[in-house]
Amino acid sequence: TVDALPQIVTKDARALFEKYHILQERELQARYEIMVETYNKTVNVEGQLMVLMANRYILPAAFDYQTCVAQSVAAVKAAGSKSVEGKKTLDTVVKLIDEFRRRTDKLAKALEHEGGSAEKHAKHFRDVVVPAMAALRETGDQLELMLPHETWPLATYREQPRALNIYSV
């Protein structure tokens, strides 16, 4: 990706393209710049979408589930008993939501990268944004496993429309 793209504009690559009359140096440089910009735009759009989905869909659902678990633990306590496993579940959900929120904010901040060349942006996306996206995804996957199916706001791999399942009859 970002590391491989500059190979297309090396001296040897330019000489090869020109030797076989495929592309001239100017055309090769233009293609390189387009590929770098395409990479930047793609990662930016995907990162922005992750932040939007986290804030608009996943966090509200997670907060609703957190509230349900907290109310359950409080109700058991009010009835004079203890819900040890309920409290553990609540603690886990709270910890995951807090981590998810922090990672969402970190990704949003990383996407605000300003200034510099397209190559510098590409390296920033590779080194900062893509790892932040992976970290957010990891925590989101953990939340998906915790939240009840009917609470999870997004389609899952388990949900496959019947019309698209070529093995269903």
Side-chain angles (χ1 to χ4, degrees), residues 19-91:
K19 176 181 177 182
Y20 292 103
H21 305 289
I22 298 170
L23 294 171
Q24 295 178 355
E25 182 177 351
R26 192 179 93 243
E27 296 168 318
L28 203 53
Q29 185 65 35
R31 287 181 186 238
Y32 165 71
E33 290 170 10
I34 289 168
M35 287 188 273
V36 171
E37 284 295 331
T38 300
Y39 174 81
N40 290 345
K41 288 178 182 179
T42 300
V43 173
N44 187 52
V45 166
E46 289 177 3
Q48 295 289 346
L49 182 60
M50 284 186 79
V51 170
L52 178 109
M53 290 173 70
N55 288 326
R56 187 173 292 169
Y57 300 107
I58 298 171
L59 279 168
F63 285 136
D64 286 347
Y65 181 62
Q66 176 181 270
T67 300
C68 288
V69 175
Q71 288 172 343
S72 173
V73 170
V76 170
K77 186 176 181 180
S81 191
K82 282 178 134 178
S83 177
V84 175
E85 295 305 315
K87 180 72 169 95
K88 284 182 185 177
T89 300
L90 179 60
D91 291 343

Side-chain angles (χ1 to χ4, degrees), residues 92-159:
T92 301
V93 170
V94 168
K95 180 181 171 188
L96 280 172
I97 291 172
D98 287 350
E99 184 65 23
F100 191 77
R101 176 80 254 166
R102 280 190 296 275
R103 289 181 173 186
T104 300
D105 292 343
K106 183 176 181 179
L107 175 57
K109 180 90 171 134
L111 288 164
E112 294 174 3
H113 187 250
E114 295 283 331
S117 66
E119 289 86 0
K120 285 184 181 178
H121 280 296
K123 288 177 183 175
H124 172 77
F125 284 137
R126 178 197 63 201
D127 298 338
V128 179
V129 173
V130 170
M133 291 169 67
L136 180 59
R137 170 69 190 266
E138 179 185 319
T139 308
D141 288 348
Q142 291 173 16
L143 273 172
E144 181 183 354
L145 294 174
M146 293 278 317
L147 271 64
H149 178 72
E150 60 277 358
T151 305
W152 187 252
L154 305 172
T156 65
Y157 288 111
R158 292 183 304 276
E159 296 172 353

